[in-house]
Amino acid sequence: MIVGTAGHIDHGKTALVKALTGTDADRLAEEKARGITIDLGFAYADLGSGQITGFVDVPGHERLIHTMLAGAGGIDMALLVVAADDGVMPQTREHMAILDLLGMERGLVVMTKCDLADQVRRDAVAAQVRELTAPTGLRDAPVLMASTVTGEGIADLRDALSQAEAETAARHADGPLRMTVDRSFTLSGTGTVVTGTIIAGRVAVGDQVVVGPTGLSARVRGIHAQSRAATLGLAGQRCALNLAGDQITKDAIHRGDVVMAPALHAPTTRIDAMLSVLPSEPTPIGTWFPARLHSHAAELGARIVPLGDPIVPGSQGPVQIVLDRPVAAGIGDRFILRDVSAMRTIGGGRFLDLRPPARKRRAPERLALIEAARHADPARALRAMLSVAPVEMAVFARDRGLAGATAQQALDDAQGHAVGAMALSQAQLESLRDGMQTQLSQFHEENPDLAGLGREKLRLALTPRLPKEAYLVLLQSEAQAGRIVLDGAFIRQPGHEVRLTDQDQALWDRIAPSLTGPLRFRPPRVRDFATDFGVDEKEVRRVLKLTQKLGRTDQIAHDHFFARSTTSEMVAILRDVDAQSAEGWFTAPDFRDRVQNGRKVAIEILDFFDRHGVTLRRGDLRRLNPHRLDLFG
């Protein structure tokens, strides 16, 4: 369990931690000289539960609220300290407001310096505390008396913390690693060490990790968990990690960075969130409101854009947060906003979407997705989001820090369907299937002489509109089910067929052997067929164009038609050429030598594939586009 102190300056937070643990959390010479905490201090002790409890001691001075915030993220329990002689003071109120904005519901209130107050004074201060905590998540927190001078109440406080330690449920440790960094330093003979709290997952010696948002790669050489040497660090523990890597130095890693599993690295500068504004804020929060954002140990400049009306003091609403630099964040992370002069706390809330659009951010669908994302349970959030729009599952799982099995369970519980990388609701899937049949029926009715509707044209006509990769998966699934037929670049219903007249069929029967025999890679041209058969060239071209609509041929160039089976065969040859080429790039001669035709015809064929997106060209080099390889069967 991690316990974080909170309270006004000089109310005895550090002395209380020392009385409980035997450790002086003030580690800086200036702190000891001035008798106040300037930076975060840490202490550890077994309070009787058999487990190690970690303490984060934070400064109480108003100018050091940013440091307090760096320690407040990731704590399991708050220790709100109020001196009996002073009572509730300005920073007591601000710290309490911050704890409430962070969603803290477990805590103890400790009235220190009780040796300086009689019973009347104690009762009066206890009443102040109850009034302060009444509207917050700590409304039911016990109020304990303590004195580090006489020892009064220290044993009772230790027992209460020990019981809380025993009741603390283990955090979810089977997901990907996320550890917030609050210190980075160098130890002689060891190297770079970072300390922080593991907020999700686990880390072991030898693991490969990434430091976000910079993306530096590192290997874990050693671990101290809860101030003890260990081979494994778990969610909920304070850890020190000895990191090694080409660019890993103490100056390359900063307070607010996150050590994470490589799969989670996806920094963002724009976040949609739900913001609660404190009643003490003097004016509503309007568009482009400047602020300082604090989340875990990170502190960044931010602009706030309400996604509705300005948010008046004492209320909440959806906002888009635009940051001045990237941050490594997760959905559900709590944040605090302070004014740019660091004089007051404005409000706080929870991150709901790490990939919001800069345009149309107030669209009804966007607002509905933000509302859906407010569910903390992944399955409930996914179900609600799927009722609005398809969801990209890889992004959903990554931004929530879900392991593969957990993400799949959320999809199953939400009764969603995986279509490629996208998740769809049953209603969305049925809408796509029904829309596909409606569009094809209408097209066939209006164009009975055409083979089918173009793939991309159909994609753009369907609701919801899928990304191309997911759309291709849907088409293949529907084709396998027999509901549609994929015919090159076209799609048709199974019962639709364009027929040639008897006269046209007779001419085609004479042409076809030349397009499918030994010379299929260099077939005769239209004018050659016209000369050989004594038929007008325009008539030959007309029939070949009809066969193209039927999916029997492809017009490679103006005067050159290839059989569709030959086109498919050439795609297979291109796959083989691609596989044998350096880094996937190949030249026209590489292809020409495989099909054994002339340079001009080979280039015509490759230009045809370029136009259809099967190949991607860069100068004289080409490579295959994996997303279009199924276009010709």
Side-chain angles (χ1 to χ4, degrees), residues 197-336:
T197 301
I198 299 181
I199 55 177
R202 62 181 64 202
V203 62
V205 173
D207 281 357
Q208 293 293 325
V209 296
V210 167
V211 180
T214 53
L216 298 179
S217 297
R219 181 176 60 84
V220 179
R221 294 176 57 187
I223 299 173
H224 270 66
Q226 301 291 77
S227 199
R228 294 182 176 182
T231 58
L232 186 69
L234 301 175
Q237 294 181 332
R238 278 201 56 78
C239 286
L241 304 182
N242 177 204
L243 300 181
D246 291 341
Q247 297 177 289
I248 298 298
T249 65
K250 74 177 183 66
D251 295 326
I253 305 175
H254 309 92
R255 174 175 287 179
D257 286 353
V258 178
V259 178
M260 68 187 82
L264 294 188
H265 178 60
T268 181
T269 56
R270 191 180 299 272
I271 303 172
D272 280 355
M274 189 61 62
L275 170 65
S276 295
V277 180
L278 292 176
S280 57
E281 184 62 16
T283 59
I285 305 300
T287 299
W288 221 239
F289 184 91
R292 299 294 295 175
L293 180 138
H294 301 260
S295 182
H296 293 294
E299 179 184 355
L300 307 90
R303 292 281 184 167
I304 311 303
V305 182
L307 300 180
D309 295 331
I311 304 175
V312 300
S315 67
Q316 66 174 8
V319 298
Q320 186 165 109
I321 302 170
V322 182
L323 302 169
D324 63 5
R325 58 183 174 86
V327 66
I331 288 179
D333 285 359
R334 294 277 182 170
F335 68 93
I336 299 293

Side-chain angles (χ1 to χ4, degrees), residues 34-235:
R34 296 173 60 184
I36 62 172
T37 300
I38 297 173
D39 205 346
L40 296 174
F42 308 102
Y44 306 88
D46 181 348
L47 301 177
S49 67
Q51 300 293 322
I52 299 298
T53 300
F55 290 83
V56 182
D57 184 32
V58 306
H61 196 287
E62 62 178 336
R63 295 183 180 178
L64 298 174
I65 290 289
H66 66 287
T67 306
M68 178 268 179
L69 285 163
I75 64 174
D76 297 295
M77 191 172 190
L79 210 59
L80 181 63
V81 177
V82 182
D85 55 343
D86 277 349
V88 173
M89 298 293 282
Q91 261 51 67
T92 315
R93 296 184 183 279
E94 187 163 16
H95 281 206
M96 183 66 254
I98 288 170
L99 291 174
D100 194 46
L101 290 169
L102 291 173
M104 184 57 57
E105 296 181 346
R106 298 184 69 208
L108 296 171
V109 180
V110 183
M111 194 183 302
T112 56
K113 304 186 181 182
C114 286
D115 54 297
L116 302 179
D118 57 21
Q119 191 60 46
V120 174
R121 178 59 182 171
R122 294 183 182 193
D123 291 344
V125 174
Q128 292 179 6
V129 169
R130 286 297 178 208
E131 181 182 2
L132 175 66
T133 60
T136 74
L138 296 184
R139 63 183 66 86
D140 298 323
V143 179
L144 305 178
M145 305 294 166
S147 170
T148 58
V149 175
T150 66
E152 177 187 352
I154 298 299
D156 291 339
L157 176 57
R158 185 179 286 109
D159 290 343
L161 289 169
S162 178
Q163 181 179 347
E165 171 73 61
E167 294 172 352
T168 299
R171 297 195 193 187
H172 198 58
D174 59 356
L177 168 71
R178 287 184 70 212
M179 186 186 103
T180 60
V181 174
D182 48 49
R183 290 177 62 199
S184 174
F185 54 92
T186 301
L187 286 180
S188 178
T190 299
T192 301
V193 176
V194 298
T195 65
T197 301
I198 299 181
I199 55 177
R202 62 181 64 202
V203 62
V205 173
D207 281 357
Q208 293 293 325
V209 296
V210 167
V211 180
T214 53
L216 298 179
S217 297
R219 181 176 60 84
V220 179
R221 294 176 57 187
I223 299 173
H224 270 66
Q226 301 291 77
S227 199
R228 294 182 176 182
T231 58
L232 186 69
L234 301 175

Side-chain angles (χ1 to χ4, degrees), residues 362-434:
R362 295 185 177 92
E365 182 178 292
R366 281 298 311 161
L367 296 178
L369 283 172
I370 294 170
E371 182 64 27
R374 294 182 66 180
H375 294 292
D377 177 66
R380 291 187 64 191
L382 182 57
R383 182 193 291 268
M385 293 170 70
L386 288 177
S387 69
V388 180
V391 174
E392 189 173 353
M393 275 306 295
V395 174
F396 179 88
R398 181 195 64 208
D399 288 351
R400 283 167 176 76
L402 304 180
T406 307
Q408 182 60 51
Q409 187 62 54
L411 180 62
D412 293 342
D413 292 347
Q415 298 181 335
H417 299 269
V419 179
M422 305 300 293
L424 279 71
S425 68
Q426 181 65 32
Q428 290 164 347
L429 189 56
E430 291 176 358
S431 175
L432 286 167
R433 287 171 174 168
D434 292 345

Side-chain angles (χ1 to χ4, degrees), residues 487-508:
D487 192 356
F490 303 100
I491 302 168
R492 60 179 172 84
Q493 290 178 315
H496 177 72
E497 185 177 359
V498 179
R499 296 182 179 274
L500 297 176
T501 66
D502 291 344
Q503 184 177 357
D504 292 343
Q505 183 66 45
L507 180 56
W508 167 244

